[in-house]
Amino acid sequence: ESFQVCRCSRQWSNEAASEVRQLIGSMYREDKEKRAGWQAAVRGSLYRLLVIAARELPDGDEEPLRRDMQDLNLKKTLSFLAENYTRDISLKECADAIGFNMNYFSRFFRSHTGIHFHQYLTALRLQKAERLLLSTGLSITEIIYQSGFQNAKTFNRVFKNVHGCSPREFRQSKLPGTTPVSASASRKKTPKPVSRPLDTLRETLVR
């Protein structure tokens, strides 16, 4: 597709070609001089280049470019969440970071992942909690806050809904050489394997 863009650029108007050359020169100077705000200036030039490409490409090539932009926005979104899920972040904050209206972003996220924004965020936090339970000796309280949950009540409810047991029982059932914390715990059903809505999305990040 990048070859297609280059090939079609030969058919661009003189005005568009001239602006592209100016933008490339501007990005080069900003990168070289690195004055205050240079990164924002480079991003602005890149977005302007994308606009020019979208308008100058033949009609038949607009759909692949639109899909590429959507894939890029999704990857930016998932990267932002991967870097920030352990703190208290909102749908609006994430939408602002990507440059989307909040309502549009909510629909965009659902249509591209198959789950709601807060469901994905909770799944990320739950996976972090599982790793900490099985690989560290941290207390449950410490794990709750290190994985991004805001309180113990929410964490315990979500964890039990997914696994069918408490975090403490989950840890004991998975670690070798451990015994249930109590007789009542030993009678509980075997913890369920975690349901992972992130599995298919992980493939998106790899591509």
Side-chain angles (χ1 to χ4, degrees), residues 93-195:
E93 182 183 351
C94 191
D96 289 344
I98 308 305
F100 283 171
N101 166 275
M102 186 175 71
N103 291 331
Y104 173 80
F105 175 73
S106 180
R107 294 192 300 272
F108 169 85
F109 191 90
R110 176 71 189 275
S111 68
H112 285 79
T113 64
I115 58 176
H116 292 290
F117 171 82
H118 289 292
Q119 289 176 315
Y120 181 86
L121 193 56
T122 298
L124 277 178
R125 290 167 174 168
L126 191 60
Q127 284 191 347
K128 173 75 170 181
E130 291 166 11
R131 288 195 297 271
L132 293 176
L133 281 167
L134 299 181
S135 63
T136 75
L138 292 173
S139 69
I140 304 297
T141 300
E142 192 107 21
I143 288 172
I144 288 171
Y145 293 107
Q146 283 201 24
S147 35
F149 286 93
Q150 299 307 302
N151 57 72
K153 183 178 180 181
T154 299
F155 173 68
N156 287 325
R157 174 177 54 79
V158 169
F159 199 96
K160 194 161 189 176
N161 283 344
V162 171
H163 287 287
C165 65
S166 71
R168 191 179 306 279
E169 291 160 0
F170 174 85
R171 172 183 264 172
Q172 291 185 329
S173 72
K174 299 293 183 180
L175 295 178
T178 57
T179 56
V181 68
S182 67
S184 60
S186 68
R187 291 194 297 271
K188 286 186 177 289
K189 60 185 177 181
T190 302
K192 296 182 292 186
V194 65
S195 172

Side-chain angles (χ1 to χ4, degrees), residues 2-174:
S2 59
F3 170 77
Q4 183 73 357
V5 171
C6 294
R7 181 177 63 80
C8 293
S9 67
R10 298 173 188 171
Q11 303 169 14
W12 291 1
S13 65
N14 290 334
E15 180 183 351
S18 175
E19 186 176 357
V20 167
R21 285 192 290 271
Q22 290 175 10
L23 287 168
I24 292 173
S26 173
M27 286 190 291
Y28 174 78
R29 287 191 299 274
E30 291 287 353
D31 180 65
K32 186 176 181 181
E33 296 171 8
K34 288 185 170 54
R35 294 178 296 174
W38 71 273
Q39 292 173 311
V42 169
R43 281 197 298 270
S45 295
L46 283 171
Y47 285 130
R48 179 58 188 160
L49 282 172
L50 286 171
V51 170
I52 294 171
R55 291 177 177 173
E56 293 292 328
L57 283 172
D59 290 343
D61 292 311
E62 290 181 2
E63 181 60 23
L65 184 62
R66 186 183 69 83
R67 287 198 303 268
D68 285 349
M69 284 298 295
Q70 289 181 337
D71 288 345
L72 177 61
N73 286 327
L74 179 60
K75 288 183 180 180
K76 283 168 60 179
T77 299
L78 299 185
S79 294
F80 178 84
L81 289 174
E83 293 168 5
N84 294 280
Y85 72 92
T86 56
R87 62 182 184 82
D88 187 15
I89 56 175
S90 65
L91 175 68
K92 185 179 186 308
E93 182 183 351
C94 191
D96 289 344
I98 308 305
F100 283 171
N101 166 275
M102 186 175 71
N103 291 331
Y104 173 80
F105 175 73
S106 180
R107 294 192 300 272
F108 169 85
F109 191 90
R110 176 71 189 275
S111 68
H112 285 79
T113 64
I115 58 176
H116 292 290
F117 171 82
H118 289 292
Q119 289 176 315
Y120 181 86
L121 193 56
T122 298
L124 277 178
R125 290 167 174 168
L126 191 60
Q127 284 191 347
K128 173 75 170 181
E130 291 166 11
R131 288 195 297 271
L132 293 176
L133 281 167
L134 299 181
S135 63
T136 75
L138 292 173
S139 69
I140 304 297
T141 300
E142 192 107 21
I143 288 172
I144 288 171
Y145 293 107
Q146 283 201 24
S147 35
F149 286 93
Q150 299 307 302
N151 57 72
K153 183 178 180 181
T154 299
F155 173 68
N156 287 325
R157 174 177 54 79
V158 169
F159 199 96
K160 194 161 189 176
N161 283 344
V162 171
H163 287 287
C165 65
S166 71
R168 191 179 306 279
E169 291 160 0
F170 174 85
R171 172 183 264 172
Q172 291 185 329
S173 72
K174 299 293 183 180

